[in-house]
Amino acid sequence: MKIDTKTFRFTDTGSFGSKAMIVGVIGLLASAAGYLVNSEQFFHSYLTAFVFWVTLGLGALFFTLIHHLVDAEWSVVLRRVMESTMVTLPLLIVFFVPIAFGMHDLFEWTHVDVVAGDTLLQGKAPYLNTTFFLARTAGYFLIWYLLTRALYTRSIKQDTSNEKGQTIRMRQISAPGMVLFGFTLTYAAFDWLMSLNPHWYSTIFGVYIFVGALLSSLGFITLILLFLRGKGVLADKVTVEHYHDLGKLIFAFTIFWAYIGFSQYFLIWYGNIPEETIFYHTRWAGSWKYVSMLIILGHFIFPFLMLLTRAAKRSLKVLAFMGFWMLFIHWVDMYWVILPSMGAHGANAHHGFSLSWMDLSTMLGIGGIFVWLFWKRFTSQPVVPVNDPKLEASFHFVNG
Amino acid sequence: MSSQVESAMTSSPKMRNALVLAEFADVKALLSAAEKVRDAGYKKFDCYSPFPVHGLDAAMGEKQSPLGWIVGIMALLGGGGALLLQWWTSAVDYPLIISGKPLFSFEAFVPIIFELTVLLSAFGAVFGMFALNKMPRLYHPIFNSDRFRAATDGGFFVGIEAEDAKFEVGQVKQFLTVVGATHVEVVEEEMD
């Protein structure tokens, strides 16, 4: 792996992409076999993996939007990494196709007989019905496609022209883009995750998923940068100052995650309404309790203590570990949201959690393809936005 | 009024050297001067610029501020205090069952714990910062210099104070000229 230090273009992209693709294909083939063995397990594991990678892409989209909106300087040097992640997001619509066919296994509200005997679900039918559900999902991906494309094409155009206009144009797109981002992420979280327990509702749920999304993509971006650094790409350009800022963001959003997670729990605990408390009851029963505890410890207390000091945020070793950790714990979080509702009337909740090999194969399957597509996109353009007016300042950025 | 007192009032007060103030042309000169002053072993000196200069702390050899520890201790006090307060009021001193929850329901206490943690941390950060900067300080001899007014505008200064163990007027003046000052002056203050 090598880049031209003048043009910042890859002269040798290495074998990383093809390795990721091989992992992805093997994972998908194994998962397909898993579908034949146990379709219900397959669909739940698959949805977990799908949501994991979609949220990772969404986190990168948010990072790009906020970068433009606040006219950030320090993050210019990592803009291409987040842009390439975000622009891979709309392609994941392909992976939604199996979910569309597995709705009967996943979503209780698609069962006509269940809805017929359930007043609540009849009331929700105008929203929770197959046609509207699929149309909404198509809509989310269409918005994500248009938004990421609008930002990405301008970013690439900027590389070959010296006009300042592109920076301003990207900022103008980001303002309404942020509103669209907020709505689409929230409703996607309602549709794909919250409707797994169709009686349950939590208005803060979208924010909860958003924080996990941002944390996982910060972890991903950190790992990609450290990987490039190990190969000598951008090693002298992305300095400890930039990693320090990534550490600060992971630290800050860890606290925000706890704030939102607790807010959701707190109001449900206080209100004590059965339709609401069921979510936490099932996740505190049997061995699910340990998963819940792992999330409290691993999603908040552990990263909080790990990244509390300045020295830790500036240590590349600590950040490499925390990058992996944020990806891992975000997966656990998605697993914790999705898997308890597996089985008729959430039978899985009563039996406790049991990991399946399909949890791994679906993650590797979708993940391998995601990383391969990301890598193809990333290596096709200069690794930094070469004509961004703030690039030079970003190289020499120092924390105050 | 006796003539003795009169003469004491009109005669100019006794002055002493307070610091040597050196002006520098730009940020670069200021940074390099700060490094040289640090390396020369001066301890009681400060740099003045109209805007924050990145890297100046390191150039001056400033150690990491202990402010983080102050904030951390205040955070623990705030959080712990809030927990104790709520435990005492809700579960011991005036026990009331509210919506069938246990008397000691930590969930209900979390918002107050959080708020007081943040509040005392903020107090610790702001007032700790004041204290570490020795503020409020109503007088500093450096303001006796007219040139120093430019520090809020376009001037970059290094001031080495007379309290420094290595301070010797002639040497300091010469040293600051050698490290690239465009103008060096001795600032005096009245003796008490």
Side-chain angles (χ1 to χ4, degrees), chain A residues 40-100:
Chain A
E40 195 177 28
Q41 176 69 52
F42 164 79
F43 281 121
H44 283 84
S45 301
Y46 185 86
L47 180 65
T48 310
F50 173 76
V51 170
F52 177 93
W53 289 102
V54 167
T55 47
L56 199 148
L58 281 169
L61 171 59
F62 173 82
F63 199 173
T64 314
L65 290 170
I66 202 87
H67 166 89
H68 291 309
L69 277 177
V70 302
D71 201 15
E73 197 175 88
W74 73 275
S75 47
V76 171
V77 72
L78 28 136
R79 204 175 93 195
R80 273 295 137 79
V81 182
M82 55 201 189
E83 279 174 346
S84 308
T85 315
M86 125 194 130
V87 90
T88 311
L89 163 68
L91 304 176
L92 289 175
I93 193 171
V94 179
F95 290 112
F96 186 80
V97 175
I99 294 170

Side-chain angles (χ1 to χ4, degrees), chain A residues 141-154:
Chain A
F141 276 101
L142 179 68
I143 289 171
W144 294 337
Y145 169 71
L146 294 174
L147 193 54
T148 54
R149 201 185 123 87
L151 290 169
Y152 189 73
T153 48
R154 276 176 182 80

Side-chain angles (χ1 to χ4, degrees), chain B residues 46-191:
Chain B
D46 211 345
C47 298
Y48 308 88
S49 76
F51 48 81
V53 175
H54 284 310
L56 191 57
D57 291 6
M60 289 171 66
E62 293 268 5
K63 286 193 218 83
Q64 169 123 29
S65 159
L67 191 62
W69 289 101
I70 297 174
V71 175
I73 291 163
M74 292 297 277
L76 290 176
L77 282 177
L83 182 64
L84 277 177
L85 171 80
Q86 291 175 95
W87 162 75
W88 172 255
T89 51
S90 310
V92 179
D93 191 41
Y94 202 85
L96 266 187
I97 293 171
I98 297 163
S99 64
K101 311 274 198 241
L103 290 171
F104 183 82
S105 300
F106 81 91
E107 290 95 334
F109 300 164
V110 168
I112 306 289
I113 293 174
F114 175 74
E115 296 302 341
L116 274 181
T117 305
V118 172
L119 182 70
L120 289 210
S121 305
F123 282 162
V126 173
F127 297 115
M129 181 272 287
F130 280 162
L132 293 174
N133 282 319
K134 302 190 180 72
M135 286 165 79
R137 179 170 186 169
L138 301 177
Y139 164 77
H140 192 283
I142 201 164
F143 292 104
N144 293 340
S145 160
D146 284 335
R147 290 188 81 93
F148 186 67
R149 288 180 191 179
T152 60
D153 181 353
F156 302 91
F157 297 91
V158 172
I160 300 184
E161 315 221 345
E163 289 161 31
D164 192 286
K166 283 190 67 186
F167 188 85
E168 199 281 306
V169 176
Q171 262 183 23
V172 172
K173 273 179 81 172
Q174 214 212 316
F175 171 73
L176 285 171
T177 316
V178 171
V179 300
T182 54
H183 182 268
V184 179
E185 67 177 301
V186 180
V187 182
E188 296 183 314
E189 68 177 328
E190 278 179 39
M191 290 182 83

Side-chain angles (χ1 to χ4, degrees), chain A residues 109-126:
Chain A
W109 52 262
T110 58
H111 300 200
V112 181
D113 53 322
V114 173
V115 176
D118 193 319
T119 327
L120 270 176
L121 291 190
Q122 279 167 19
K124 290 186 182 189

Side-chain angles (χ1 to χ4, degrees), chain A residues 255 259 262 265-266 268-272 310 397-400, chain B residues 54-55 64 98-99 101 105-111 114-115:
Chain A
I255 300 169
Y259 186 93
F262 181 78
Y265 173 77
F266 184 52
I268 290 173
W269 172 82
Y270 234 129
N272 213 3
R310 179 181 159 95
F397 163 74
V398 176
N399 276 290
Chain B
H54 284 310
Q64 169 123 29
I98 297 163
S99 64
K101 311 274 198 241
S105 300
F106 81 91
E107 290 95 334
F109 300 164
V110 168
F114 175 74
E115 296 302 341

